[in-house]
Amino acid sequence: MWIQLRVGVAKYGAIAGINLQNQLAYVWDTISRSTHIVVFMFIFTQLWGAVYRLQDVTEINGLTLANTIWYFLMAEVLQIGQIRHDTQITEEIKSGAIAYTLGKPYNYLGYHFSNGMGETIVKMGLLWLLGSPIALAFAGWPDVRLAHLPAIAVVYLLAIVVNFCIISLIGLMAFLIEDTFSLRLIYQKIVFILGGLLIPLDFLPEGLQRVAGLLPFQLTTYAPARLFVGFEWPMFWRQLQMGAIWLAILLGLLSLQYRWAARRLAINGG
Amino acid sequence: MPDLAVAVEGLAKTFVVRHKAPGLKGSLRAIVRPSRRDVEAVREVSFAIQPGEVVGLIGPNGAGKSTTIKMLTGILHPTRGDATVLGLVPWEDRRRLAYHIGSVFGQKPQLWYHLPPEDTFRLFARIYELDQDAYRRRRAELVELFEIEPLLDVPVRKLSLGQRMRCEVVASLLHRPRVLFLDEPTIGLDVVAKEKIRQAIQDMNAEEGTTIFLTSHDAGDIEKVCRRVIIINHGRIIFDDRTAVLKRQYLTRKIVDVRFHEALTGPLEIPGVHVIKQGTFGAKLEFDSQEREVQSVIQDVMAFASCQDINISDPPMEEIIRDIYQA
Amino acid sequence: MDKTLSRQRAGTLLAHVRVELAFIRGLVGINLASAMEYRATFLTQIFGMFLNNGIYFVFWYLFFDRFGTVQGYNLEEVYLLFAIVAMGFGLAYTLAGNTGWRLATIIAQGRLDYYLALPRNLLAHVLFSHMVVSAIGDFFFGIMAFFFAGRFHPAEIVLFVVSCVLSGCVIVGYGLIVGSAAFFFGGAQQMSMQAANALVSFALYPNTLFSGFARLLLYTLIPAIFIGGIPVDIVLGRDGRLLAGLAAAAAISLGMGTWLFYAGLRRYESGSDINVM
């Protein structure tokens, strides 16, 4: 038994060793690809530091400089780390492989989601590790209360799911159009403004803020980032409401698109 | 001394390669103290090629073929030794020599993928500073010789591999090179395409006296096109003589793969034929085509049992070389 | 040597340069032809770049609408900054599309051999053998941005054009430097991509935001100030001395890049640390 135990430990040690080596390689690769978060964070600290100094205020629209910096970190991490499976879907459609995988909508998309989630969590964790030293240096510790973290996590998850749905919609458009990459690019650019990635929605003119508040884009980036830096229960409930409405709409659209795709596959035979 | 096309004397090339031990410990150690290892790719080769010769250079992977060619085209500097191509030292006069040599690499295309071959030809005319009229005349000659008239304005990506290779060879001949280096020109081609390229190469050599240096894994290329063969193995030349000599001594072995309809009941025995392997439904045989004619061997095999499939091939290059090495 | 086919091999340097320039023109032509083979992709790439850059215009419009100015820059000046960076980048990558990480890839994959076997100037041949289609979009975006910037005095226009060309030279030179790193160590492709991205990212923000050590960095390791900030000052201030400074930076960038490339080439030709193929 003693020998068995030692053999077992050795075996799992070997597997863990290989896994660790693989993971280290993957981590190193991701890190070396992720210098832009460091670049962006640095640029943002300088830009917004200058703005606050010039305006000679401690708060703009309810956000301090520290808030703003942490806001950008959260937003960037979400944006860069998001699940990007639209290229996979597009390729599956183009190659016809989708005929085999398009069994049931929840299975197909669920598979992509769980696949993507694992990678996303690691990526976001790494991005957070890379970007937070800069935020810490310029803005100190973030102003978050432990009690609020679960609620923030919910909105965070909501953001990932809403984004996932939109990306899925884009990917499945490959049945209709040749170049879904352009669609994703357009979506990305919309999020830059209406998702609050380049400028917190709080700083936008009233009218635009209201429009942005009604659209799903702010759910993917602005909502969790804003709640992180200045949590308010009413804001949380409102975002949850919006989230529920938009999820319903997006999932409805997805199932429509799905059924249409399945019918098209059946007719064209893949 | 008569003007040689290629003269090589004691050419050698040693690479310094970084060496990493396997495993995590090896990776860590490599960061701290990288260990270097000498790899002798080419060990003092010498040969001389007359203008107008068609020479085949064969050897297994890693034998030093590519390294030798790279030194002759001036891409690599040798560790030791001398070489001249058309009277120029390749690694000292690379650009000057480039005007007079051509190269085709089977694995690395020169033609622009999305455009018709015509566009690449025109670019090459500029690369080699060809006079417009002379270029047009030359192009017409080659187009006729290689039969690529209908392909001239078809985008290269739409051409078959054989068509593409013919266009590649044309591109490499536009500037009338005196020496042509062909590296695996028939790789991946079907029998008809191979034959076309081989014929065109021979015609080129016959009409213009272009010295041709051909590397290939295909014994058929060597047999049919080259009058002289240099075999290189582990960086050394182990054979340098006429193809006729190689054929007579080594290329007469034939391998037969046969599948039968019914299971074999006993050992396969045919006079003059050696059984390499025998299974229930098939067998691998070999024989010397100088001792027994191919036709009669096949007849014997078919007489033995009803054949489902039969395949005759030359022994792989590695085996030929092994035989030579052991001889 | 056969003279019937080739023109008299030119002896003078000027003639050599003329031949190479004619060759480069031919290369650019074939690049463009190749890119236009796929009309749809060609147009979407250009359009995509307009969108990509244009969204930042929306950001800056909203930003300045709210905050007025920042560190000496207003909206028109940011438009001018974008115009210069976009045009410089567009010029650089439309013509010398193989600079930067593509050069690192060519070196790492041994594709340099193709160019080495041909009788043209190696560096020019490699650099000009590719055109990044989206960079054409950047180029035209730059022109559009210049109109938004509203500087129409002839002197300003001339200074703008010259600055863009010099800025493009700095970009090409920088790409040569980071791309040639592939001669010296693996993983250079990744590094050169990051470096080139960082260069453009920093360049697109008012350089007056940065001070101290960061500012030093942006004059040296990541010369973003030379491709954006200094050209803006040249156009706005009609500063001839700064122009001379930019020209010097361009010359240094190209010079260092060329030197590093040929130093790496010597290493490549001697075959050290190369995969034995």
Side-chain angles (χ1 to χ4, degrees):
Chain A
M1 191 218 91
W2 195 230
I3 297 175
Q4 274 184 322
L5 186 64
R6 279 182 49 196
V7 166
V9 168
K11 185 164 79 171
Y12 285 115
I15 294 176
I18 294 175
N19 275 351
L20 186 64
Q21 213 174 346
N22 276 350
Q23 282 173 29
L24 279 178
Y26 178 69
V27 164
W28 177 247
D29 190 55
T30 311
I31 288 180
S32 60
R33 283 174 203 270
S34 305
T35 60
H36 31 243
I37 195 165
V38 173
V39 168
F40 283 142
M41 281 309 296
F42 184 71
I43 293 175
F44 287 164
T45 55
Q46 303 303 299
L47 176 65
W48 294 99
V51 170
Y52 276 80
R53 250 175 301 146
L54 257 141
Q55 300 283 308
D56 201 15
V57 287
T58 43
E59 268 194 19
I60 299 178
N61 288 92
L63 291 172
T64 65
L65 176 58
N67 289 151
T68 309
I69 291 176
W70 279 105
Y71 166 87
F72 277 117
L73 178 63
M74 297 307 287
E76 278 291 323
V77 166
L78 263 168
Q79 170 68 1
I80 301 178
Q82 66 182 233
I83 305 176
R84 292 219 177 103
H85 60 299
D86 60 320
T87 32
Q88 267 175 282
I89 297 184
T90 306
E91 256 152 53
E92 282 175 18
I93 292 178
K94 294 235 181 97
S95 70
I98 197 162
Y100 305 111
T101 52
L102 205 77
K104 285 184 223 144
Y106 301 116
N107 283 356
Y108 179 66
L109 289 177
Y111 158 75
H112 273 289
F113 185 74
S114 50
N115 225 24
M117 251 325 235
E119 216 186 283
T120 287
I121 290 178
V122 174
K123 233 196 294 185
M124 289 195 188
L126 280 173
L127 288 167
W128 218 91
L129 277 170
L130 286 171
S132 44
I134 300 180
L136 278 167
F138 285 94
W141 288 101
D143 202 7
V144 196
R145 247 180 284 170
L146 229 62
H148 298 152
L149 279 179
I152 295 174
V154 168
V155 181
Y156 212 92
L157 187 62
L158 180 67
I160 296 178
V161 175
V162 169
N163 181 67
F164 175 82
C165 289
I166 298 179
I167 297 278
S168 303
L169 277 167
I170 292 175
L172 285 172
M173 288 294 269
F175 274 111
L176 263 178
I177 62 178
E178 181 69 35
D179 188 13
T180 57
F181 184 72
S182 302
L183 270 182
R184 207 238 280 162
L185 204 76
I186 294 173
Y187 167 60
Q188 210 179 33
K189 300 313 161 197
I190 297 177
V191 171
F192 272 23
I193 301 294
L194 293 176
L197 191 67
L198 286 181
I199 184 168
L201 293 182
D202 308 71
F203 297 173
L204 292 179
E206 267 283 335
L208 200 54
Q209 269 191 61
R210 243 174 295 150
V211 171
L214 294 171
L215 293 171
F217 309 110
Q218 60 96 15
L219 284 167
T220 64
T221 327
Y222 171 77
R226 181 64 181 81
L227 280 166
F228 182 81
V229 298
F231 189 88
E232 279 164 31
W233 285 106
M235 204 193 305
F236 170 71
W237 293 119
R238 218 182 318 126
Q239 292 293 18
L240 222 54
Q241 254 182 321
M242 291 304 302
I245 297 173
W246 275 108
L247 260 183
I249 297 176
L250 289 170
L251 287 173
L253 280 173
L254 264 176
S255 64
L256 270 174
Q257 196 184 31
Y258 210 84
R259 240 184 299 154
W260 179 87
R263 215 183 322 142
R264 192 185 165 107
L265 261 184
I267 295 174
N268 294 347
Chain B
M1 181 158 78
D3 256 345
L4 289 168
V6 179
V8 175
E9 187 63 49
L11 202 62
K13 181 65 187 168
T14 305
F15 289 107
V16 179
V17 175
R18 243 179 299 192
H19 175 72
K20 184 184 91 76
L24 188 58
K25 234 191 283 179
S27 305
L28 292 173
R29 207 184 300 144
I31 297 177
V32 175
R33 192 168 28 108
S35 61
R36 296 192 145 84
R37 189 164 55 104
D38 279 353
V39 173
E40 286 187 85
V42 177
R43 298 170 214 246
E44 311 228 337
V45 303
S46 308
F47 55 88
I49 298 181
Q50 304 287 340
E53 279 198 71
V54 184
V55 182
L57 180 66
I58 58 180
N61 286 329
K65 302 195 297 290
S66 305
T67 310
T68 307
I69 296 205
K70 283 188 188 174
M71 287 192 279
L72 292 179
T73 48
I75 295 174
L76 280 180
H77 293 222
T79 314
R80 273 187 321 277
D82 302 297
T84 56
V85 177
L86 298 171
L88 297 170
V89 179
W91 50 89
E92 284 171 17
D93 271 312
R94 184 179 52 81
R95 273 181 74 178
R96 237 186 350 143
L97 181 61
Y99 283 103
H100 304 285
I101 61 175
S103 57
V104 178
F105 290 88
Q107 320 265 35
K108 290 189 187 163
Q110 304 176 105
L111 298 171
W112 284 61
Y113 191 63
H114 299 291
L115 295 171
E118 179 61 51
D119 290 12
T120 305
F121 295 163
R122 243 179 281 146
L123 182 70
F124 270 54
R126 279 185 199 265
I127 287 179
Y128 291 105
E129 296 171 51
L130 302 179
D131 174 69
Q132 276 303 306
D133 290 320
Y135 155 69
R136 258 178 251 132
R137 261 179 283 130
R138 176 65 169 168
R139 194 197 62 204
E141 273 172 37
L142 291 172
V143 164
E144 201 192 309
L145 180 61
F146 284 81
E147 295 170 28
I148 58 169
E149 176 73 50
L151 312 176
L152 282 177
D153 41 19
V154 176
V156 169
R157 70 180 190 277
K158 295 206 179 132
L159 297 176
S160 72
L161 188 59
Q163 293 170 324
R164 207 187 304 171
M165 280 318 294
R166 273 184 284 146
C167 294
E168 291 266 350
V169 179
V170 167
S172 71
L173 291 170
L174 284 169
H175 61 297
R176 286 193 205 272
R178 302 249 296 281
V179 181
L180 183 64
F181 293 92
L182 296 168
D183 187 57
E184 306 279 1
T186 63
I187 197 165
L189 298 182
D190 60 70
V191 169
V192 175
K194 275 195 217 237
E195 200 38 56
K196 274 201 165 131
I197 295 246
R198 289 174 189 162
Q199 190 58 51
I201 293 174
Q202 283 174 305
D203 293 342
M204 195 78 249
N205 172 252
E207 286 186 25
E208 303 195 355
T210 317
T211 309
I212 297 182
F213 210 75
L214 172 70
T215 53
S216 184
H217 276 279
D218 187 324
D221 281 350
I222 307 300
E223 246 183 295
K224 303 228 170 80
V225 179
C226 306
R227 255 167 270 132
R228 173 175 164 193
V229 182
I230 298 176
I231 303 184
I232 193 168
N233 195 21
H234 293 312
R236 275 191 229 282
I237 294 182
I238 57 175
F239 181 95
D240 180 359
D241 209 329
R242 289 176 298 131
T243 316
V245 175
L246 182 70
K247 257 165 65 163
R248 221 182 311 125
Q249 291 181 350
Y250 301 107
L251 283 182
T252 56
R253 218 154 53 92
K254 292 284 176 200
I255 309 263
V256 181
D257 285 289
V258 58
R259 276 194 76 76
F260 299 104
H261 277 118
E262 290 142 10
L264 294 169
T265 44
L268 189 56
E269 270 178 21
I270 301 172
V273 173
H274 171 240
V275 179
I276 301 174
K277 236 188 343 186
Q278 179 175 340
T280 331
F281 280 97
K284 200 184 190 85
L285 317 165
E286 76 173 332
F287 66 95
D288 187 330
S289 59
Q290 285 194 316
E291 285 177 29
R292 289 213 59 185
E293 267 189 40
V294 171
Q295 173 134 325
S296 67
V297 167
I298 297 181
Q299 282 174 337
D300 284 355
V301 170
M302 281 166 45
F304 193 86
S306 162
C307 292
Q308 187 184 48
D309 193 8
I310 191 161
N311 194 22
I312 306 174
S313 52
D314 293 320
M317 195 60 67
E318 276 77 6
E319 285 192 32
I320 298 177
I321 291 171
R322 212 184 336 126
D323 286 352
I324 296 174
Y325 212 52
Q326 284 163 358
Chain C
M1 304 269 164
D2 202 317
K3 286 222 169 87
T4 53
L5 270 180
S6 49
R7 277 192 286 266
Q8 194 85 6
R9 199 103 340 109
T12 63
L13 183 64
L14 188 63
H16 269 302
V17 171
R18 276 227 309 253
V19 167
E20 292 295 346
L21 283 178
F23 171 61
I24 290 171
R25 245 184 305 135
L27 269 181
V28 174
I30 199 173
N31 270 318
L32 196 59
S34 183
M36 295 207 291
E37 271 290 304
Y38 297 101
R39 201 53 65 96
T41 318
F42 184 73
L43 291 171
T44 44
Q45 295 230 344
I46 295 179
F47 171 73
M49 218 14 98
F50 260 82
L51 188 70
N52 205 46
N53 298 337
I55 202 73
Y56 287 97
F57 271 24
V58 176
F59 159 69
W60 283 113
Y61 175 82
L62 292 166
F63 179 90
F64 283 113
D65 183 58
R66 181 83 175 69
F67 299 113
T69 64
V70 73
Q71 225 61 353
Y73 268 74
N74 60 23
L75 186 58
E76 276 79 34
E77 280 146 10
V78 167
Y79 284 153
L80 182 61
L81 177 65
F82 265 71
I84 291 170
V85 177
M87 269 203 80
F89 185 89
L91 277 171
Y93 279 91
T94 305
L95 298 173
N98 265 335
T99 192
W101 66 266
R102 282 188 187 78
L103 179 64
T105 306
I106 289 173
I107 294 170
Q109 290 179 353
R111 290 193 277 141
L112 217 52
D113 295 349
Y114 162 78
Y115 301 98
L116 282 166
L118 296 172
R120 297 260 57 87
N121 178 286
L122 181 66
L123 189 53
H125 197 172
V126 175
L127 277 182
F128 292 97
S129 286
H130 184 68
M131 175 183 290
V132 179
V133 176
S134 56
I136 302 176
D138 286 299
F139 179 83
F140 284 111
F141 184 84
I143 297 178
M144 185 193 85
F146 185 68
F147 277 105
F148 276 63
R151 299 264 155 184
F152 298 126
H153 193 280
E156 287 168 333
I157 295 179
V158 169
L159 286 172
F160 170 72
V161 172
V162 175
S163 302
C164 288
V165 173
L166 291 175
S167 165
C169 290
V170 174
I171 294 175
V172 174
Y174 187 69
L176 265 179
I177 294 172
V178 297
S180 300
F183 279 124
F184 300 96
F185 60 90
Q189 289 157 266
Q190 199 46 247
M191 183 206 83
S192 39
M193 211 184 314
Q194 305 289 321
N197 283 340
L199 180 69
V200 174
S201 299
F202 277 113
L204 287 172
Y205 286 86
N207 67 92
T208 40
L209 289 170
F210 307 103
S211 57
F213 188 67
R215 201 174 174 77
L216 180 65
L217 188 80
L218 295 178
Y219 273 109
T220 52
L221 277 183
I222 305 176
I225 297 189
F226 285 107
I227 66 174
I230 288 184
V232 168
D233 291 338
I234 291 173
V235 173
L236 291 180
R238 305 202 208 161
D239 194 329
R241 262 184 331 163
L242 264 181
L243 186 64
L246 181 59
I252 293 174
S253 177
L254 284 173
M256 275 182 66
T258 306
W259 178 83
L260 196 65
F261 177 80
Y262 282 105
L265 183 68
R266 274 195 299 279
R267 203 165 182 272
Y268 182 86
E269 286 167 342
S270 75
S272 43
D273 274 345
I274 303 284
N275 278 333
V276 182
M277 268 297 135

